[in-house]
Amino acid sequence: MTIALEPLRKIAAYGVCVNGEGKILLVRASPRSGTPGVWSLPGGAVDHGEDPHHTVVRETAAETGLSVSVAGLRDVLADMRSMPHRGVTIHTDRLLYRVSVRGGSLCDRIGQPTDLARWVTLAEAGAMPLRPFTARALGLTPAPIDLCPDEVPDFPSFNAVPGPDGLHRAQRFAAYAVATDGGGRILLTRIADGYPGAGCWHLPGGGTDYGEQPGPALLRELLEETGQQGRLVELLGVASHRDAASLGPEGYPIDWHGVRAFYRVVIDSPAPLTVRDVGGSTCDARWFGAPELAALPVDLLTEVTAEAVRVAGLR
């Protein structure tokens, strides 16, 4: 029964690389992997504290012998995969980047999780066994290659584990909304006392649940934190921030690494602001017009909020 498998979570980054002939760069899983012979985009797990931009460059070089540069973020998605031979079910938040080759030579590997790297046409890719997330990224119909759990496993929203230095560490994927109304106001929430960043203004949103896609997650959080129904418009970017000794309600320092996708959201019919998640990390919600937002001191905005409003052209 897949529901009896140990649930795990990870964050991974991949490169969608197309050459001048329109061919796509793919890598093949070796017998050392859980799906030998299956092809996917080059990439892999984001190390603790690592910026996903660096992950996709590092992993692509290791798996293909090619050095790439990141051109931009293409998509963010999540999936679950049960691996009975390892006794686990894994939820993976996958960041897909557009990349281009800047040098190196394509090479194969021996004794590694991937063993071949090839340039293929889209038609050729369609006839190959592809990981479902790779098929979706290429606009192809996913084959039932990954084994999915019968039910979504229970998994804590916060999961800190002892690191190699003895300090607890946590890596968390979250989704946030740059939410505006018809008048161009932006909706921000205030972090409650006892939580990292207490008193600062933050974007509505938060950590995604196990098995949850980022878009539905942020709309759920938007409703819980502000009482607003939002309409998802576009993915704006991903921020990666590390706090090496964050102190929150747990009462002990945590080496915290947050990877946060932020989206443009429109609230067509604003409702009265209501913090429904009473006793949680949000204590207030407020609309800010352009002059009010510009007047907010930078130290009263969380890092992801400052970055997101800049990318959205609001400040």
Side-chain angles (χ1 to χ4, degrees), residues 154-179:
D154 288 331
F155 192 84
S157 59
F158 174 81
N159 188 42
V161 297
D165 55 3
L167 184 67
H168 277 74
R169 57 170 50 180
Q171 188 180 60
R172 190 186 194 197
F173 179 83
Y176 291 97
V178 180

Side-chain angles (χ1 to χ4, degrees), residues 7-28:
L8 300 175
R9 283 194 73 156
K10 71 175 183 177
I11 303 170
Y14 301 86
V16 180
C17 189
V18 181
N19 67 11
E21 300 175 355
K23 293 185 176 181
I24 305 144
L25 182 62
L26 296 178
V27 295
R28 189 182 72 176

Side-chain angles (χ1 to χ4, degrees), residues 17 106 118 187 214 303:
C17 189
L106 204 65
R118 295 290 184 269
L187 180 59
E303 289 179 304

Side-chain angles (χ1 to χ4, degrees), residues 188-207:
L188 299 180
T189 59
R190 198 162 200 167
I191 300 175
D193 290 342
Y195 289 86
C200 289
W201 290 98
H202 197 29
L203 298 175

Side-chain angles (χ1 to χ4, degrees), residues 111-303:
Q112 300 296 320
T114 61
D115 57 6
L116 297 182
R118 295 290 184 269
W119 292 101
V120 301
T121 66
L122 188 60
E124 290 170 334
M128 299 164 69
L130 299 176
R131 290 292 306 280
F133 81 90
T134 298
R136 292 189 183 96
L138 301 180
L140 300 171
T141 301
I145 288 175
D146 286 354
L147 177 64
C148 296
D150 301 323
E151 298 180 13
V152 177
D154 288 331
F155 192 84
S157 59
F158 174 81
N159 188 42
V161 297
D165 55 3
L167 184 67
H168 277 74
R169 57 170 50 180
Q171 188 180 60
R172 190 186 194 197
F173 179 83
Y176 291 97
V178 180
T180 55
D181 65 2
R185 297 182 302 170
I186 184 172
L187 180 59
L188 299 180
T189 59
R190 198 162 200 167
I191 300 175
D193 290 342
Y195 289 86
C200 289
W201 290 98
H202 197 29
L203 298 175
T208 62
D209 290 340
Y210 199 102
E212 191 175 33
Q213 295 292 334
L218 72 87
L219 294 179
R220 170 183 56 76
E221 290 275 352
L222 176 66
L223 183 62
E224 292 175 0
E225 294 181 346
T226 71
Q228 308 301 302
Q229 297 275 3
R231 173 169 53 89
L232 197 64
V233 177
E234 63 176 329
L235 173 65
L236 291 172
V238 167
S240 175
H241 296 122
R242 181 182 184 184
D243 186 339
S246 177
L247 190 62
E250 300 78 26
Y252 54 87
I254 295 172
D255 181 354
W256 184 271
H257 178 209
V259 177
R260 298 137 170 170
F262 48 92
Y263 295 75
R264 191 186 303 276
V265 171
V266 173
I267 298 175
D268 296 301
S269 302
L273 293 174
T274 305
V275 179
R276 298 185 179 183
D277 186 19
V278 178
S281 60
T282 298
C283 64
D284 192 13
R286 189 182 304 174
W287 288 104
F288 288 84
E292 297 170 298
L293 181 64
L296 270 179
V298 175
D299 61 359
L300 285 184
L301 294 175
T302 62
E303 289 179 304

Side-chain angles (χ1 to χ4, degrees), residues 11-13 44-52 55 58 95 171 240 257 259:
I11 303 170
V46 177
D47 289 341
H48 186 82
E50 184 179 36
D51 191 303
T55 304
R58 171 179 58 78
L95 315 178
Q171 188 180 60
S240 175
H257 178 209
V259 177

Side-chain angles (χ1 to χ4, degrees), residues 59 84 110:
E59 286 283 345
I110 298 175

